């Protein structure tokens, strides 16, 4: 069994929370909330991919 990559797990959980928050914002009919959650999702996913690339280059993956 491989070792858990905690930074990547944290990014995945944060992205899942952002996706859930988009659903909540849609149910509340909040355009501002929807846009904010989509922006947060892009930031979190970008940070996750960037972190994964750095870890791959260092040979940690």
């Amino acid at each position: 069994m491989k070792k858990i990559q905690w930074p990547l797990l944290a990014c995945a959980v944060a992205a899942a929370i952002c996706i859930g928050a988009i659903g909540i914002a849609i149910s509340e009919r909040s355009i501002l909330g929807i846009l904010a959650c989509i922006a947060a999702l892009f930031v979190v996913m970008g940070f996750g991919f960037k972190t994964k690339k750095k870890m791959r280059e260092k040979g940690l993956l």
Side-chain angles (χ1 to χ4, degrees):
M1 189 172 201
K2 292 187 176 188
K3 187 177 173 184
I4 295 174
Q5 302 295 328
W6 293 106
L8 299 179
L9 179 64
C11 288
V13 170
I17 290 171
C18 288
I19 292 170
I22 292 170
I24 292 170
I26 290 171
S27 69
E28 293 291 329
R29 296 182 179 162
S30 171
I31 299 296
L32 185 60
I34 294 168
L35 295 176
C37 292
I38 289 172
L41 179 63
F42 276 110
V43 169
V44 169
M45 291 289 288
F47 180 75
F49 284 127
K50 185 177 168 183
T51 302
K52 186 173 181 177
K53 180 181 177 187
K54 285 183 181 179
M55 291 176 77
R56 191 180 315 119
E57 288 172 353
K58 289 183 180 179
L60 298 174
L61 291 178

